[in-house]
Amino acid sequence: MASTRGLLIVLSGPSGVGKGTVRAAIFKKNIFNYVYSVSATTRESRPGEQDGVDYYFVSRDEFEKLIEQDALLEYAEYVGNYYGTPIQKIEENLAAGNDVFLEIEVQGALKVRQKMPEGIFIFLAPPNLQELESRITGRGTDGEAIIYERMQKAREEIELMQHYDYVVVNDEVEFAVEKINSIIQSEHLKVERVVDKIKADIHKYFQKGDESR
Amino acid sequence: MASTRGLLIVLSGPSGVGKGTVRAAIFKKNIFNYVYSVSATTRESRPGEQDGVDYYFVSRDEFEKLIEQDALLEYAEYVGNYYGTPIQKIEENLAAGNDVFLEIEVQGALKVRQKMPEGIFIFLAPPNLQELESRITGRGTDGEAIIYERMQKAREEIELMQHYDYVVVNDEVEFAVEKINSIIQSEHLKVERVVDKIKADIHKYFQKGDESR
């Protein structure tokens, strides 16, 4: 029997909620050996960033070729740069039985949902909007109008939560990590994912029994 | 807003798989404060068993009255004695937001599924049928024919697995406990269970914002 296909795990949530921090904490220990899906981008690499680890750094031409070839699960343009999710590595890893972990913006996650509805979509939510405002405000020196605009955007994104499977509130990074790991491990225990394996065992047992009779 | 309703958790599996041991291990620590659903029975109490803790010990007349009143989620008769699951305590606890834990035979679990399809149904499976045979054989001095019959029954019960939500293989009690806790905790994180709470927070935040404008 072929090995069981891995799970595609998509972690998303509004800007400022702490997706990157939670993802980094998960991969610091990575006790369940998730494979991180590295994005492709046309932006310049920053000091310390490694090609193929933090991002695949590609030229604009190369990126547009990926778009033409339908080789991206989703992509978007921010501030003049492309960002996208290459499909091939994900497919290879899932086929090999590895769980693939994707950390992505809300709009991107919804595009992934359309292409791979069988993924596990986890929405990282702030403890409450007041707290999110504090986090956004704490980041810099944005004026009141800009903060209001960002909060409106957060509201819109939170309302897209219903297209996800699970919601994890990011109150403490450590708890959020634990919850995300719980979700993924329990998804592996769903009946439809193990039923074939167990039926094969029954078949084997009774076949052997009949032969020895 | 009313507190969130608790979850009904149903742990089941073939005879000999170790349901009782796993349940006892969960309740030894009971870190998530599950409420154990105590069954009613007409059999005599054994030394050390406490009424209302291990079972509700009732007379045959009292039990038949519960049946008539439709006060049991399910019931069955084994070797001349009734066993059943009183519905009222379960309802009270779920309404109060407590998770209620039920450990029950496969046939009983399927009856519960019909009445409370929203429950979380966990099937405890043996590592393999050879192992289950060893466990059953190890229990006593049953002849080969009886063991074969019991294994056929186990096969039938395992084939009913598809009516459950999750399968936990009981390889090590400690791991099984961990997996069951993971399942229950991740079920609490499903979008449909938290969406109302988060929408209420959004409403509160923007209402306050509008008032201060």
Side-chain angles (χ1 to χ4, degrees), chain B residues 55 66 128 157 160 185 191 196 213:
Chain B
Y55 284 97
L66 291 173
N128 55 64
E157 290 186 335
L160 294 169
Q185 295 318 303
V191 165
D196 288 348
R213 249 142 215 283

Side-chain angles (χ1 to χ4, degrees), chain B residues 126-143:
Chain B
N128 55 64
L129 284 189
Q130 197 58 56
E131 173 70 25
L132 185 68
E133 189 192 297
S134 305
R135 291 184 196 179
I136 288 174
T137 318
R139 271 186 174 180
T141 54
D142 295 332

Side-chain angles (χ1 to χ4, degrees), chain B residues 1-204:
Chain B
M1 203 171 53
S3 76
T4 315
R5 194 172 153 86
L7 300 177
L8 177 68
I9 304 132
V10 180
L11 180 68
S12 188
S15 173
V17 78
K19 295 187 289 295
T21 310
V22 168
R23 185 255 297 165
I26 288 171
F27 277 89
K28 199 174 167 192
K29 293 186 183 167
N30 199 12
I31 43 177
F32 296 109
N33 290 311
Y34 310 134
V35 173
Y36 180 60
S37 164
V38 179
S39 299
T41 185
T42 58
R43 81 152 164 76
E44 294 287 311
S45 68
R46 293 175 191 150
E49 283 183 342
Q50 276 184 278
D51 186 38
V53 175
D54 299 288
Y55 284 97
Y56 294 110
F57 295 101
V58 299
S59 69
R60 216 172 159 85
D61 273 4
E62 285 171 315
F63 200 101
E64 284 170 351
K65 212 166 176 180
L66 291 173
I67 297 173
E68 274 169 40
Q69 292 168 343
D70 207 17
L72 299 171
L73 202 46
E74 56 78 42
Y75 71 95
E77 206 170 352
Y78 294 106
V79 213
N81 284 308
Y82 280 128
Y83 295 81
T85 305
I87 223 164
Q88 194 185 331
K89 286 262 173 194
I90 292 178
E91 270 301 343
E92 285 170 12
N93 271 299
L94 294 176
N98 299 320
D99 293 339
V100 176
F101 197 100
L102 201 59
E103 179 227 318
I104 193 173
E105 301 298 317
V106 172
Q107 297 297 340
L110 296 183
K111 289 183 200 161
V112 175
R113 172 114 262 183
Q114 283 170 4
K115 287 206 182 168
M116 299 186 84
E118 75 278 16
I120 316 303
F121 289 74
I122 304 173
F123 192 90
L124 196 67
N128 55 64
L129 284 189
Q130 197 58 56
E131 173 70 25
L132 185 68
E133 189 192 297
S134 305
R135 291 184 196 179
I136 288 174
T137 318
R139 271 186 174 180
T141 54
D142 295 332
E144 205 195 321
I146 288 176
I147 290 169
Y148 188 77
E149 199 181 294
R150 293 193 62 184
M151 290 305 294
Q152 283 289 0
K153 189 167 179 231
R155 171 196 213 156
E156 283 165 31
E157 290 186 335
I158 292 172
E159 279 169 358
L160 294 169
M161 204 177 66
Q162 63 213 16
H163 300 288
Y164 288 71
D165 300 304
Y166 297 93
V167 176
V168 169
V169 172
N170 188 20
D171 40 10
E172 295 277 349
V173 171
E174 187 195 340
F175 297 155
V177 168
E178 219 172 83
K179 285 172 182 170
I180 291 166
N181 281 332
S182 269
I183 289 168
I184 299 166
Q185 295 318 303
S186 75
E187 279 284 338
H188 277 288
L189 304 172
K190 283 200 168 167
V191 165
E192 61 268 27
R193 296 210 168 91
V194 292
V195 71
D196 288 348
K197 190 162 171 288
I198 291 184
K199 285 202 169 158
D201 172 57
I202 293 178
H203 183 72
K204 197 173 127 203

Side-chain angles (χ1 to χ4, degrees), chain A residues 29-40:
Chain A
K29 293 187 186 168
N30 198 16
I31 42 176
F32 296 109
N33 291 313
Y34 310 135
V35 172
Y36 179 59
S37 163
V38 179
S39 298

Side-chain angles (χ1 to χ4, degrees), chain A residues 21-185:
Chain A
T21 310
V22 168
R23 186 254 299 166
I26 287 172
F27 278 90
K28 199 175 168 191
K29 293 187 186 168
N30 198 16
I31 42 176
F32 296 109
N33 291 313
Y34 310 135
V35 172
Y36 179 59
S37 163
V38 179
S39 298
T41 183
T42 58
R43 81 153 163 76
E44 294 286 311
S45 68
R46 293 173 191 151
E49 283 183 341
Q50 277 184 277
D51 185 39
V53 176
D54 299 289
Y55 284 98
Y56 294 109
F57 294 102
V58 298
S59 70
R60 217 174 158 83
D61 274 3
E62 286 170 315
F63 200 101
E64 284 169 352
K65 212 165 175 179
L66 291 173
I67 297 173
E68 274 168 41
Q69 292 168 341
D70 208 17
L72 299 171
L73 202 47
E74 57 80 42
Y75 72 94
E77 205 170 352
Y78 292 107
V79 213
N81 284 309
Y82 281 127
Y83 295 81
T85 305
I87 223 165
Q88 194 186 331
K89 285 261 174 198
I90 292 178
E91 271 299 345
E92 285 170 11
N93 271 298
L94 294 177
N98 298 320
D99 293 341
V100 176
F101 198 99
L102 201 59
E103 180 226 318
I104 194 175
E105 299 300 316
V106 172
Q107 296 297 340
L110 296 183
K111 288 182 201 161
V112 176
R113 174 113 262 183
Q114 282 169 5
K115 288 205 182 170
M116 298 185 84
E118 75 279 15
I120 315 303
F121 289 74
I122 304 174
F123 192 91
L124 195 66
N128 55 65
L129 284 188
Q130 197 58 59
E131 173 70 26
L132 185 68
E133 189 191 298
S134 304
R135 291 183 195 179
I136 288 173
T137 317
R139 271 188 177 180
T141 55
D142 295 330
E144 204 195 319
I146 288 174
I147 289 168
Y148 187 78
E149 199 181 295
R150 294 193 60 184
M151 290 305 293
Q152 284 290 0
K153 189 166 178 232
R155 171 197 212 156
E156 284 165 30
E157 291 186 333
I158 292 171
E159 280 169 357
L160 293 170
M161 203 175 67
Q162 63 213 14
H163 299 289
Y164 288 70
D165 301 303
Y166 297 93
V167 176
V168 168
V169 172
N170 189 19
D171 40 11
E172 296 277 348
V173 171
E174 187 195 342
F175 298 156
V177 168
E178 218 171 85
K179 285 172 183 170
I180 291 167
N181 281 332
S182 270
I183 288 168
I184 300 166
Q185 295 318 302

